[in-house]
Amino acid sequence: LDATYFEQLAEGQHPDFLWIGCSDSRVSPNLITGTGPGEMFVHRNIANLVVQTDMNLLSVLQYAVEVLQVGHVIVCGHHGCGGVKTAMQGHSHGLVDHWLRTVKDTEQYFWRQLEPLDQAARLRRLVELNVVEQVYNLGKTSIVQRAWRERQRPFIHGWVFDVGTGCIDPLTKMIHGDEDVQALCKFARGEAAA
């Protein structure tokens, strides 16, 4: 360990990335990306959701975008997500059901696409659809919209991490404006059945 390691940490942070990921203990942002302390600002919650009324997430986002001026925001889901799996189950789990309602809504919207798949493939696909939905939600926040108008940043990325292989698959192109976000909109694409 470098003798000046903690002194350098104490000087402050200058991350270029905000990571919005799942709380799953197997999904460590720094290990997955090979970044060190101070290189990535991190927000984690069950199923990596971007909920427009989540003041914790919005506070993290505003600080990252407006104060730290990160250049990139990564929404990263992961295969085998327990939150997404819980949302797919038909019985009550208590309080977490309220949090996972948006995942359930995504499952219902894309049901014709998901129904023919076996359970494992359905879970994998819903994890992916959930990431795309969260990228869309992120791009529609007033925080990101304002930042795009004022400085054309941050770029948004939608990724899925495969816990079994260690691979990251990009699910969206690099999003850097409202036109890109609109292209993700399921309603604009009419993508219920596809």
Side-chain angles (χ1 to χ4, degrees):
L1 185 64
D2 181 358
T4 63
Y5 177 78
F6 291 108
E7 291 173 13
Q8 291 172 5
L9 281 183
E11 289 177 8
Q13 61 175 329
H14 305 285
D16 197 33
F17 302 93
L18 167 60
W19 174 279
I20 299 173
C22 185
S23 297
D24 191 302
S25 61
R26 301 168 296 169
V27 184
S28 172
N30 294 106
L31 288 176
I32 291 169
T33 60
T35 55
E39 294 180 43
M40 185 174 292
F41 205 60
V42 176
H43 176 81
R44 295 171 73 174
N45 63 53
I46 295 172
N48 48 273
L49 299 183
V50 177
V51 178
Q52 300 290 339
T53 56
D54 179 357
M55 297 308 290
N56 186 324
L57 172 109
L58 294 174
S59 298
V60 168
L61 179 63
Q62 182 176 21
Y63 189 81
V65 170
E66 295 179 5
V67 177
L68 298 175
Q69 295 199 341
V70 297
H72 302 267
V73 180
I74 300 162
V75 177
C76 188
H78 67 97
H79 288 302
C81 180
V84 173
K85 186 175 182 178
T86 297
M88 290 173 61
Q89 296 171 344
H91 52 278
S92 175
H93 297 279
L95 185 61
V96 74
D97 294 335
H98 298 284
W99 178 252
L100 295 172
R101 183 70 243 170
T102 60
V103 179
K104 189 69 177 166
D105 291 344
T106 299
E107 178 189 34
Q108 289 173 337
Y109 187 86
F110 290 102
W111 184 245
R112 284 186 286 176
Q113 183 185 135
L114 295 167
E115 184 179 25
L117 304 175
D118 65 43
Q119 196 67 13
R122 189 179 297 156
L123 174 59
R124 287 182 68 84
R125 184 64 183 137
L126 187 54
V127 163
E128 295 166 355
L129 291 167
N130 181 54
V131 168
V132 174
E133 288 289 295
Q134 304 321 309
V135 168
Y136 176 79
N137 291 344
L138 180 62
K140 286 301 186 181
T141 63
S142 60
I143 297 161
V144 169
Q145 291 281 314
R146 185 170 50 252
W148 282 343
R149 282 192 308 273
E150 293 174 1
R151 62 182 185 101
Q152 292 77 51
R153 287 288 184 103
F155 297 111
I156 301 175
H157 310 263
W159 293 355
V160 67
F161 173 69
D162 192 320
V163 176
T165 65
C167 293
I168 295 172
D169 291 319
L171 298 176
T172 67
K173 69 178 193 169
M174 191 164 56
I175 307 296
H176 61 279
D178 201 47
E179 188 174 307
D180 291 338
V181 170
Q182 273 311 114
L184 296 177
C185 179
K186 65 185 174 228
F187 302 114
R189 293 183 318 206
E191 192 189 331

